[in-house]
């Protein structure tokens, strides 16, 4: 009996669309991970894409997502009997509970395991694709695949299937099972993000982490690339025990599920029964009104569509918001947001000031995946509600127009999403209050978070609803949406980056306390207008193609589409079309005409070409800048700066110089003219903004020349991606390279990543010069000491700042400041005096202070790379600086910056801090290592 | 009133559920008889605008149902053979909801509609109870009530009496008879009596084709003196089937009553019976089976 049941179940699952859909999705996911260099799982660096390590990692990581798919199988096993109402027939046969449950579970598990075979298959096929860089591949060995599949993936798949099977059998509800899985996912994420930052728990986590990822990474932690490429860890110790532990837990769950499952329908609880009795008694009590005479009222000739819309909307909302699933979902969202904010807003145990601008990006980040999952799930639920309840024939035979279906259902999904967003905002505000931050602006939350995110989510909801309308069943609709998300991500990583074809994408603005959203919201709102037009068309399609009645096929609807488009639907769709094309044209004008649209790939190509063409000049002796005269006129409201300057160039080398190379490294900076005394411009490379000046008479060692230049910086309109946050309405901060030309070639903007360098035919690494190669001492990475005279003018309401001593200050229409000071680098900044920087007034003694920038050049050093640019917090009388590492760097938590530190570690030589020091009353730059 | 012209329907899996059906249905009750799988529900769903026929045209008065389903729905009441309900909604609320969807906007009209219907189908006492907790027959009565909202001109009820107890069935048939005087009511059923009791006109559908159409009385007339019966032993049945055109058999106190169709006296102890509609129905089916 057991075998028969299992066999039947296996055959049933194998013939279901879910089987193929999940198989294909996981195949594509893995295949994309293997064959697209921008997506790498487990490989990278010198670790081969098909190394034992990478194969194992992929097997482990995909099980995390596979959990959602496998649950669809096992939950269906029992729930479908209740849904199809076939259960009572089956359960009254001679089949035993064990055969019924375990037989079916085994059959479904077999199907699941076969689906998961898509992963090794995709890794193998992916690794044979001809376009892959052969250097990133090793030999394919069957043993590696077997190890990963059977020892790493299979136990997880079993355990997860068992747990959620048990949940489904106990609750007999798909909904509760899915809530269970989302809860599990969130708890797991939260736990690993909180516990994962406690190194002392590493081993404990390795034992207890359900997916085996912790155990695997612990045992391979100190492996070299060579080991990762050639061996699998022994299946013993932590790894073995972790797998055994979770298999045990899986079995326990199976047993529990079997125990909790009752063949008979559960009765009503006593409390519910009493309540119902009371209600019935009340109903019986009031007598029926006297039998009304005459015929029933007839409907009026005009259909009350607005009343219908209202009642349907109310009804959908009630169905959604009164369902227990919704409450649980909200709780989960709260938990997720809270834990993200709690851990995201602190750095190695030190909470930072929870300013709204710092919290919002974290908040937005927490909503990415979870809200898409919610949208997809609810779209399926609402669109198929009538059919699932089998009431569709009744409702569809009423004169209610189809859009009265579409609009409330879409609105329902949107409101679910919006309520999670609102909860997110409330959680964030409470966290701010909890941490003693009271300067909370509801407007900021509304304008920078709730509104834009809400609108973005509406687009997802509309799409998810339309997909459900078009798809033959709910599960296919869900599958299509998952596929869409995957394709969306992949498209972006392989270079299709323009927002105009990435449905629903509308970026958020970078936020700052000084500059607010600084006009950066515009691009997002134009895109939202554009997508609103598109969404409107989709809604009209949803109305026209709504599956009404018992017709399953789409074709007859499509045939009637043109005719039904006539009239109002067509006019609305046309309105959407006009909006979309108008906004689209404006966006295109901004992103591609006023600004240059460059994909990441194109940028890399540019860097590679730059290197090929100009790196040969790296060692060419060049004069140094020993004095700078700079006049900078800032027009912050226009995001424009006009720059005129003069360098004094001096030949500090031992050889005569006959060529001076002048570069412009900034995308936005336009150098309008350059004139070098006694020289003529021999060539100008437009693409790379590279000028070569030939001197009529070589510059002898020690000789000086003057170089005059004029430049302009003007950010017009908006770009597709990336904002110019240098020159902004309030809080401008421009350094040397953003203002003025650079003399001589160096490595500063070249490609660094080994794999990418190889891809473009460059040597894998640019090595530092040999110890004996003294030519390198001609240069240092800081540049030479210069004196600078800088005059800055800016808006009347702004305060300009430049290095040095203030020499004069004219107030009036524009404030100016003249500095004359020896410095090795110059930068200017300008900010409005009307809005003080909140943390500028914080006491520097132990209090928080924001680090404005780490020097751009520090970043370029390979060792400095690791120390992340986002150094954020400074406290304890400047003695400690905590630095948050990037995702792939391991940097110890705290640096103790002792006096003299600067001499020992070039890494932090250029980290500077700007703040208002007690007593001085003005902003000052300060090197880290000095105490104020 | 309702004209079906050469209507055929082929399902996606290739089943031809309706095969060139042409029918003209006047005002009043119209009975649709047929065995399981005959295509009754398909026909009714097609008329109720829930599916578009593969070919053919359907008109109701001046409405072309296929081109303007929206217009028909304004004056349609439909009870499907099998339906479910929303969770967490009471009978009263759901009827009220349906009334709005059917275009009854004013609150007082709605109140009158809902209260009247609740009493007519005898659900007044349970009106506050969740529909999901209704018994099969109660749910069916709810279905009947919603089909009558708004005084529709075309009422299509698919096996409305299925699951009703005898008392409720009577109550429903009376209600229907009252309403059915002025509007078109199409009623499908397996119970021949329902049709003979109620319907001035009827059709028999089998294999997707109309096998017989007319007024029950005339149809009964046409079989007059052609139906013969005999009480036989069960074991003899097969040999009777070979020799005579047996249209129906039925058990009666342990023995079998056979009805045969014959223009002349088959002899052998058969006696002439006053044929009822059931005999008409069975003889039609027998003929169609033979033709197939
Ligand atoms: N959705 C469908 N898809 C495919 N075939 C269908 C579908 N619905 C009905 N059929 C087929 O069409 C034929 C007619 O079915 P229909 O439901 O109209 O019969 P019926 O006369 O209402 O039967 P019953 O008395 O059992 O309700 C049957 O052969 C049935 O199998
Ligand atoms: Mg039927």
């Amino acid at each position: 009996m057991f075998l028969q049941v299992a066999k039947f179940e296996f055959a049933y699952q194998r013939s279901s669309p879910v089987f193929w859909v999940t198989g294909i999705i996981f195949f594509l996911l893995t295949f994309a991970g293997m064959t697209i260099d921008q997506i790498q799982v487990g490989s990278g660096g010198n670790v081969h894409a098909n190394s034992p390590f990478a194969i194992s990692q992929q097997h482990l990581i995909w099980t995390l997502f596979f959990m959602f798919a496998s649950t669809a199988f096992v939950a269906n096993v029992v729930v479908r009997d209740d849904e199809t109402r076939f259960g009572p027939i089956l359960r009254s046969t001679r089949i035993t509970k064990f055969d019924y449950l375990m037989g079916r579970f085994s059959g479904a598990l077999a199907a699941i395991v076969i689906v998961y075979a898509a992963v090794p298959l995709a890794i193998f096929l992916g690794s044979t694709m001809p376009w892959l860089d052969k250097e990133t591949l090793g030999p394919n060995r069957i043993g590696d695949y077997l190890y990963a599949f059977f020892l790493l993936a299979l136990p997880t798949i079993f355990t997860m299937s068992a747990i959620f099977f048990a949940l489904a059998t106990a609750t007999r509800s798909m909904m509760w099972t899915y809530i269970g899985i989302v809860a599990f996912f969130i708890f797991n994420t939260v736990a690993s993000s909180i516990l994962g930052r406690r190194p002392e728990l590493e081993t404990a986590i390795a034992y207890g982490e359900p997916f085996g990822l912790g155990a695997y990474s612990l045992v391979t932690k100190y492996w070299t690339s060579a080991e990762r490429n050639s061996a699998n860890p022994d299946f013993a110790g932590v790894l073995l025990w972790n797998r055994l532990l979770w298999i045990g837990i899986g079995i326990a769950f199976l047993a529990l599920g079997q125990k909790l499952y009752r063949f008979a329908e559960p009765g009503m609880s006593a409390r519910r029964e009493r309540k119902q009795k009371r209600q019935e008694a009340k109903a019986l009590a009031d007598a029926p009104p006297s039998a009304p005479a005459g015929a029933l009222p007839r409907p009026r000739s005009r259909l009350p569509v607005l009343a219908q819309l209202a009642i349907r909307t109310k009804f959908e909302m009630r169905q959604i918001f009164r369902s227990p699933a919704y409450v649980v979902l909200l709780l989960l969202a709260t938990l997720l947001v809270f834990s993200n904010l709690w851990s995201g807003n602190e750095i190695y145990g030190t909470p930072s000031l929870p300013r709204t601008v710092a919290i919002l990006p974290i908040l937005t980040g927490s909503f990415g995946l979870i809200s898409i999952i919610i949208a997809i799930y609810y779209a399926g639920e609402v669109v198929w509600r009538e059919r699932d309840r089998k009431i569709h024939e009744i409702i569809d035979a009423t004169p209610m127009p189809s859009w009265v279906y579409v609009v409330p259902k879409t609105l329902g999904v949107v409101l679910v999403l919006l309520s999670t967003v609102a909860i997110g905002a409330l959680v964030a505000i409470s966290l701010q209050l909890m941490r003693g931050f009271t300067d909370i602006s509801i407007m900021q939350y509304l304008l920078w978070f709730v509104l834009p995110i809400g609108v973005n989510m509406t687009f997802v909801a509309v799409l998810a609803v339309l997909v459900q309308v078009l798809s033959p069943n709910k599960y296919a609709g869900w599958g299509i949406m998952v596929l869409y998300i995957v394709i969306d991500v992949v498209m972006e990583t392989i270079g299709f980056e323009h927002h105009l074809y990435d449905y629903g994408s509308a970026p958020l603005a970078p936020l700052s306390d000084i500059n607010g959203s600084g006009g950066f919201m515009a691009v997002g709102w134009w895109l939202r207008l554009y997508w609103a037009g598109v969404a409107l068309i989709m809604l009209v399609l949803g109305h026209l193609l709504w599956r009404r009645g018992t017709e399953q096929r789409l074709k007859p609807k499509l045939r009637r589409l043109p005719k039904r488009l006539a009239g109002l639907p067509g006019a609305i769709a046309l309105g959407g079309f006009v909006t979309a094309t108008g906004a689209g044209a404006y966006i295109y004008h901004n992103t591609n005409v006023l600004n240059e649209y460059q994909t990441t790939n194109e940028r890399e190509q540019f860097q590679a070409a730059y290197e090929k063409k100009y790196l040969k000049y790296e060692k060419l002796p060049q004069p140094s800048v020993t004095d700078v005269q700079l006049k900078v006129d800032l027009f912050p409201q226009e995001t424009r700066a006009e720059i005129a300057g003069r360098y004094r160039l001096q030949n500090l080398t031992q050889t005569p110089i006959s060529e001076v190379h002048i570069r412009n490294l900034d995308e936005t900076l336009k150098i309008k003219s350059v004139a070098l005394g006694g020289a003529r411009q021999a060539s100008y490379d437009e693409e790379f903004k590279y000028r070569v000046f030939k001197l009529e008479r070589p510059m002898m060692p020690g000789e000086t020349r003057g170089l005059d230049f004029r430049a302009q910086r003007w950010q017009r309109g908006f770009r597709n991606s990336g904002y110019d946050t240098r020159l902004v309405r309030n809080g401008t901060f421009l350094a040397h390279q953003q203002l003025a030309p650079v003399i001589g070639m160096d490595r500063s903007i070249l490609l660094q990543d080994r794999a990418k360098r190889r891809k473009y035919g460059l040597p894998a690494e640019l090595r530092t010069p040999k110890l004996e190669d003294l030519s390198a001492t001609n240069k240092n990475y800081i540049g030479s000491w210069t004196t600078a005279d800088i005059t800055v003018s800016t808006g009347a309401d702004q305060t300009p700042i430049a290095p040095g001593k203030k020499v004069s200050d004219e107030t009036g229409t524009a404030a100016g400041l003249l500095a004359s000071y020896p410095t090795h680098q110059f930068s200017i900044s300008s900010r409005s005096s009307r809005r003080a920087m909140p943390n500028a007034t914080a006491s520097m003694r132990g209090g928080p202070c924001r680090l404005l920038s780490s020097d751009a050049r520090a970043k370029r050093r390979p060792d400095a790379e690791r120390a992340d640019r986002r150094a954020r917090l400074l406290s304890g009388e400047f003695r400690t600086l905590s630095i948050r590492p990037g995702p792939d760097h391991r940097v110890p938590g705290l640096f103790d910056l002792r006096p003299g530190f600067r001499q020992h570690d070039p890494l932090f030589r250029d980290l500077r801090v700007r703040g208002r020091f007690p007593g001085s009353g003005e902003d000052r730059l300060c090197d880290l290592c000095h105490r104020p | 009133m309702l004209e079906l012209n050469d209507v055929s329907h082929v399902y996606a899996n290739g089943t031809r559920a309706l095969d060139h059906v042409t029918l003209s249905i006047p005002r009043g009750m119209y009975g649709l008889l047929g065995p399981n799988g005959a295509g009754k529900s398909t026909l009714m769903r097609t008329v109720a605008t829930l599916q578009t026929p593969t070919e053919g045209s359907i008109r109701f008065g001046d409405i072309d149902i296929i081109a303007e389903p929206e217009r028909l729905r304004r004056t349609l009441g439909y009870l499907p053979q099998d339906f479910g309900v929303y969770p967490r909604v009471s009978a009263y609320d759901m009827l009220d909801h349906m009334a709005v969807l059917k275009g009854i906007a004013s609150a007082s009209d709605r109140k009158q509609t809902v209260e009247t219907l609740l009493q007519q189908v005898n659900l007044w006492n349970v009106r506050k109870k969740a529909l999901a907790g209704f018994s099969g027959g109660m749910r069916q009565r709810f279905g009947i009530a919603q089909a009558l909202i708004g005084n529709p001109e075309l009422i299509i009820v698919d096996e409305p009496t299925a699951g009703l107890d005898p008392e409720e069935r009577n109550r429903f048939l009376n209600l229907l008879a009252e309403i059915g005087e002025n509007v078109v009511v199409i009623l499908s059923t397996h119970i021949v009596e329902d049709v003979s009791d109620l319907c001035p006109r009827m059709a028999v559908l089998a294999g997707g084709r109309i096998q017989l159409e007319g007024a029950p009385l005339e149809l009964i007339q046409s079989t007059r003196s052609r139906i013969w019966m005999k009480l036989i032993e069960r074991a003899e049945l097969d040999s009777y089937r070979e020799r005579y055109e047996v249209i129906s058999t039925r058990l009666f106190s342990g023995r079998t009553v056979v009805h045969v169709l014959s223009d002349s006296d088959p002899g052998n102890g058969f006696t002439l019976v006053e044929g009822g509609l059931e005999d008409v129905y069975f003889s039609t089916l027998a003929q169609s089976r033979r033709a197939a």
Side-chain angles (χ1 to χ4, degrees), chain A residues 454-486:
Chain A
V455 175
N456 287 7
M457 286 180 172
T458 308
F459 299 139
V460 181
V462 171
L463 177 71
V465 167
L466 182 66
V467 164
Q468 288 292 356
V469 170
L470 298 181
S471 73
N473 62 56
K474 182 158 73 175
Y475 300 94
W478 282 340
I480 292 170
M481 278 307 287
V482 170
L483 214 57
Y484 158 77
I485 302 292
V486 172

Side-chain angles (χ1 to χ4, degrees), chain B residues 11 13 15 17 34-43 45 81 159 190:
Chain B
Y11 281 109
N13 63 4
T15 312
N36 288 146
K40 301 183 296 296
S41 298
T42 305
L43 179 75
R45 282 199 296 261
Q81 179 174 356
E159 295 186 27
H190 300 286

Side-chain angles (χ1 to χ4, degrees), chain A residues 276 280 283-284 286-289 291-292 295-301 303-304 307-308 311-312 315 319 323 385-386 389-391 393-400 548-551 560 564, chain B residues 45 50-52 69-70 73-74 76 78 80 82-89 94 97-98 100-106 109 112-113 115-117 119 124-125 127 129 146 148 150-151 153:
Chain A
Q276 186 158 345
E280 271 163 44
L284 276 176
D286 50 26
L296 292 173
R298 277 177 176 274
R300 300 219 199 93
S301 58
L303 215 52
Q308 290 180 338
I311 196 168
R312 278 309 289 183
F315 180 78
Q319 289 286 321
S323 86
R385 189 196 307 289
E386 277 67 32
R389 301 287 173 197
K390 291 179 123 191
I391 199 172
E393 288 190 37
I394 290 185
I395 309 275
D396 290 348
T398 67
M400 177 183 103
R548 193 141 182 165
T550 43
E551 184 60 78
R560 291 179 54 202
R564 298 197 53 205
Chain B
R45 282 199 296 261
L50 293 174
Q51 53 197 37
T52 350
E70 297 84 4
R73 288 186 196 131
R74 284 159 167 256
L76 170 72
Y78 172 63
D82 180 28
F83 66 95
V85 293
Y86 290 119
R88 300 186 290 275
V89 182
M94 193 63 213
H97 187 93
M98 290 300 298
V100 179
L101 299 193
K102 296 221 175 184
I104 303 194
S106 95
D109 281 359
Q112 190 195 338
T113 303
E115 287 184 350
T116 313
L117 284 171
Q119 287 174 62
W124 179 258
N125 288 340
R127 67 191 185 280
K129 233 172 115 170
Q146 67 75 28
L148 301 180
N151 221 345
E153 308 235 332

Side-chain angles (χ1 to χ4, degrees), chain A residues 443-763:
Chain A
M443 271 327 263
Q444 286 181 348
Y445 273 97
L446 270 185
L447 291 180
W448 296 346
F449 177 65
V450 178
L451 224 56
I453 293 282
V455 175
N456 287 7
M457 286 180 172
T458 308
F459 299 139
V460 181
V462 171
L463 177 71
V465 167
L466 182 66
V467 164
Q468 288 292 356
V469 170
L470 298 181
S471 73
N473 62 56
K474 182 158 73 175
Y475 300 94
W478 282 340
I480 292 170
M481 278 307 287
V482 170
L483 214 57
Y484 158 77
I485 302 292
V486 172
I487 290 173
D488 187 53
V489 171
V490 170
M491 293 288 277
E492 210 175 300
T493 48
I494 62 174
F496 293 91
E497 293 167 17
H498 209 294
H499 287 300
L500 279 179
Y501 48 71
D502 181 9
Y503 174 75
S505 70
L508 293 169
L511 301 173
S512 90
D513 275 327
I514 311 176
N515 197 35
S517 59
F520 293 128
M521 297 296 275
V523 50
W525 282 112
W526 276 105
L527 276 161
R528 275 177 211 112
L529 183 66
Y530 170 70
W531 291 122
V534 176
L536 200 60
I537 298 176
M538 302 209 311
L539 281 177
V540 172
L541 282 180
H543 160 68
L544 296 180
L545 297 175
W546 187 262
R547 198 182 308 275
R548 193 141 182 165
T550 43
E551 184 60 78
Q552 299 291 332
R553 293 163 300 171
L554 197 58
K555 232 165 117 201
K557 303 231 147 182
L558 285 175
R559 223 178 312 120
R560 291 179 54 202
L561 188 66
K563 225 179 91 198
R564 298 197 53 205
L565 206 54
L568 198 57
I572 293 174
L574 189 70
F577 182 77
V578 169
T579 312
T581 31
Y586 181 75
I587 293 163
Y588 185 85
H589 177 73
N590 272 277
T591 56
N592 292 46
V593 179
L594 288 182
N595 291 284
E596 193 193 353
Y597 168 60
Q598 195 179 38
T599 64
T600 315
N601 276 338
E602 285 165 355
R603 175 76 196 156
E604 285 167 5
Q605 278 161 19
F606 172 86
Q607 289 172 296
Y610 204 129
E611 178 168 344
K612 284 179 189 156
K613 203 162 175 187
Y614 291 114
L615 189 64
K616 59 184 178 207
Y617 296 128
E618 190 194 6
K619 296 204 171 136
L620 193 74
Q622 289 289 296
S624 302
V625 180
T626 53
D627 180 58
V628 178
Q629 314 254 338
L630 202 61
K631 184 174 179 325
V632 182
D633 296 318
L634 295 176
F635 303 92
Q637 289 310 319
E638 299 168 44
T639 56
R640 181 162 71 91
E642 301 289 343
I643 301 131
R646 182 179 171 83
Y647 284 164
R648 185 177 66 208
L649 297 182
Q650 188 170 15
N651 184 352
L652 297 179
T653 69
Q654 311 302 320
T655 46
I657 293 171
S658 56
E659 270 183 11
V660 178
H661 291 210
I662 297 169
R663 301 190 298 150
N664 172 4
L665 296 182
D666 192 275
E667 285 166 55
T668 321
L669 185 70
K670 221 162 52 197
I671 294 187
K672 289 172 151 174
S673 70
V674 190
L676 177 60
R680 64 182 169 79
Q681 183 168 311
S683 67
Y684 176 49
D685 183 338
E686 280 249 31
E687 190 189 354
F688 298 107
K689 302 197 229 168
Y690 199 109
R691 290 178 166 84
V692 177
F693 276 77
K694 280 244 163 20
L695 303 184
E696 278 145 26
R697 190 174 48 75
M699 219 169 148
M700 288 302 141
E703 192 186 334
T704 60
R705 300 268 174 105
L707 181 139
D708 291 289
F709 61 89
R710 289 199 315 111
Q712 185 191 45
R713 216 188 143 84
W714 192 5
Q715 175 57 49
R716 295 167 69 194
F718 47 79
R719 309 182 198 168
N720 182 56
S721 64
Y723 301 89
D724 180 16
T725 51
R726 288 290 185 164
L727 174 51
V728 292
R729 291 182 190 167
N730 189 17
T732 294
F733 185 87
L734 295 166
H736 177 186
Q737 288 177 355
Q738 282 102 40
L739 286 169
V742 173
I743 309 294
M745 178 64 191
D746 61 20
R747 298 177 178 182
S748 56
I749 62 164
L750 305 182
L751 273 177
Q752 304 243 345
D753 184 88
R754 293 174 58 95
K756 279 181 192 149
R757 291 183 58 90
R758 265 204 308 271
K759 180 170 146 196
Y760 293 106
L762 299 168

